Amino acid sequence: MATLEDRAFLLLVAAVTAAFIWVLWPFYGAVLWGAAIAILFAPLYRKIRERLHGRANLAAVTTLLIIVAIVIVPLMLVGVLLVRQAAGVYERLQAGNVDFQSYLAQIAAAAPGWVRGLLGSVGITDLDLEEPLAAGLRAASQLLAEQLVLLGQNAFIFVIGLFVMLYLLFFLLRDGDALARRLNDAVPLRPEQRRALAEKFTMVIRAMIKGTLAVAVVQGFLGGLIFWLLGIPAAALWGVVMGILSLLPAVGSPIVWGPVAIYLLATGEVWQGLVLLAYGALVIGVIDNVLRPILVGKDTRIPDYVVLISTLGGLALFGINGLLLGPVIAALFLAVWDIFSTGRRRYYDPVGPVTLAEDDPLRERAARQRDRESA
């Protein structure tokens, strides 16, 4: 039975932990991504440390420089290009140079006769969407402008967060194994539960970054590349949009390149439209099926409907950090309930699929439970 001192100490542990999280909260994104990148690049760090004969500091610095060169710098360059193209799109929207009504009219005029007849049979004879499109464009323009202003105002905070992430990343790489052991010893769970949760957490982080995010980056890059080759304006911006949408199962990048291909075909640019359709279906569309099994394997995949709901929920709650937090929370939820159900199976059937030792207390408890139920 817990004593008053034990309860008071547990309360103190909870209060101090909550206070520490509160202090770190302004930079929780930097801490989150620093920890995720450290987990992803930990195997590389260990190989470099082995090559450097155990010099941990030098190995951590080398790994950090590699991360900056292949991850941070390219992302910053894409970000600068994205801001410029987003500003250009915003200016065109404000100046009224984007006329979606004429685009729709061109598509309707180029549609086959049976399509126009089908639309007429349901009472759609004129695609007059000027007012709803104008309202939508005004809302989109305002949102885009607010985000650009917010980005400029938070540039200093972004730089500080980046510095915090890189600084933390160095120590997580160098001392990650020791920190993991200390956390494992401190968590008040059974050894098999701690092991299962640690394996699931590590697996999901690597699967999300190596699989989901890496595939999204590749699809966004390929989509932006074909848009640039075909001369479509704001190719980098649309590439980023395709990359983000590719994170969502049942949505994906076709929601961007599909309508663009249809518009190109409808406006007489047939070969460009055919190239985009073929490229989207045969290159962008299959990249997920080719890369994901290579990067993360087949056994680490979360069900698509869980990924969709958790990613959308994560984005709504945490912003861009939700791309990682949402699926991770969902995966841990599934892992915890799997551990719970496994424990109940062991409790009620100790000699079933998982055989318990003779001195395991679960065997005696299960026997007593069966005796009570039979009585």
Side-chain angles (χ1 to χ4, degrees):
M1 186 175 186
T3 64
L4 177 61
E5 290 79 5
D6 293 333
R7 294 175 181 174
F9 183 72
L10 289 177
L11 182 61
L12 177 63
V13 169
V16 172
T17 303
F20 183 66
I21 295 174
W22 182 46
V23 169
L24 294 181
W25 191 254
F27 295 101
Y28 87 95
V31 175
L32 171 69
W33 288 101
I37 295 174
I39 290 173
L40 179 64
F41 283 90
L44 175 62
Y45 161 75
R46 296 189 186 101
K47 291 181 180 179
I48 295 176
R49 184 182 60 187
E50 184 179 352
R51 292 288 184 89
L52 295 176
H53 307 289
R55 287 179 284 185
N57 286 328
L58 184 57
V61 170
T62 304
T63 308
L64 189 62
L65 292 176
I66 293 174
I67 294 171
V68 170
I70 67 175
V71 178
I72 305 301
V73 172
L75 286 179
M76 292 184 67
L77 294 176
V78 171
V80 171
L81 183 60
L82 176 62
V83 170
R84 289 181 180 177
Q85 293 196 354
V89 172
Y90 171 69
E91 291 175 359
R92 293 183 62 196
L93 291 174
Q94 289 293 91
N97 295 330
V98 180
D99 188 0
F100 279 97
Q101 183 64 27
S102 64
Y103 299 158
L104 291 173
Q106 288 176 312
I107 295 175
W114 66 270
V115 173
R116 294 196 297 270
L118 180 62
L119 293 175
S121 65
V122 295
I124 302 177
T125 58
D126 185 12
L127 294 177
D128 186 10
L129 301 176
E130 184 174 357
E131 282 303 321
L133 281 175
L137 287 176
R138 283 194 296 269
S141 301
Q142 182 179 359
L143 177 62
L144 181 59
E146 291 174 354
Q147 294 300 318
L148 290 175
V149 171
L150 186 63
L151 181 62
Q153 292 175 345
N154 293 340
F156 178 73
I157 296 179
F158 171 79
V159 172
I160 296 298
L162 179 62
F163 172 78
V164 170
M165 187 194 74
L166 294 176
Y167 183 77
L168 178 65
L169 184 55
F170 169 82
F171 291 101
L172 288 177
L173 288 170
R174 191 191 68 177
D175 305 326
D177 293 337
L179 289 173
R181 287 193 296 269
R182 294 186 64 179
L183 286 175
N184 184 67
D185 293 338
V187 174
L189 295 174
R190 296 185 181 185
E192 66 273 12
Q193 294 173 337
R194 293 198 302 264
R195 184 166 52 252
L197 282 177
E199 291 175 354
K200 189 69 173 180
F201 180 77
T202 304
M203 179 193 71
V204 170
I205 290 291
R206 290 177 177 167
M208 281 301 300
I209 297 181
K210 288 175 61 180
T212 305
L213 294 183
V215 170
V217 169
V218 173
Q219 287 186 329
F221 172 77
L222 293 175
L225 177 63
I226 192 63
F227 272 37
W228 176 71
L229 292 175
L230 294 176
I232 298 172
L237 175 61
W238 292 119
V240 171
V241 173
M242 281 187 276
I244 294 174
L245 291 175
S246 67
L247 295 171
L248 304 177
V251 179
S253 57
I255 201 173
V256 176
W257 60 259
V260 174
I262 294 173
Y263 172 76
L264 292 175
L265 292 172
T267 55
E269 300 182 29
V270 178
W271 75 267
Q272 292 95 328
L274 292 176
V275 167
L276 184 55
L277 280 176
Y279 186 90
L282 300 177
V283 178
I284 301 177
V286 302
I287 200 70
D288 181 81
N289 296 328
V290 173
L291 275 186
R292 194 184 301 273
I294 296 175
L295 293 174
V296 298
K298 298 180 180 179
D299 297 332
T300 59
R301 191 179 178 98
I302 306 173
D304 285 344
Y305 60 90
V306 177
V307 175
L308 176 62
I309 297 173
S310 61
T311 302
L312 291 176
L315 286 171
L317 288 175
F318 306 108
I320 191 66
N321 297 318
L323 292 175
L324 182 62
L325 270 178
V328 166
I329 292 173
L332 291 179
F333 169 81
L334 296 176
V336 168
W337 277 96
D338 182 65
I339 294 171
F340 178 73
S341 61
T342 301
R344 286 183 59 83
R345 286 196 301 269
R346 293 179 62 205
Y347 179 83
Y348 286 105
D349 189 14
V351 294
V354 180
T355 303
L356 302 182
E358 291 294 336
D359 58 348
D360 195 315
L362 283 177
R363 176 183 289 273
E364 184 180 352
R365 288 166 55 188
R368 290 199 303 267
Q369 179 69 19
R370 287 199 304 271
D371 292 341
R372 285 195 297 268
E373 291 176 354
S374 62

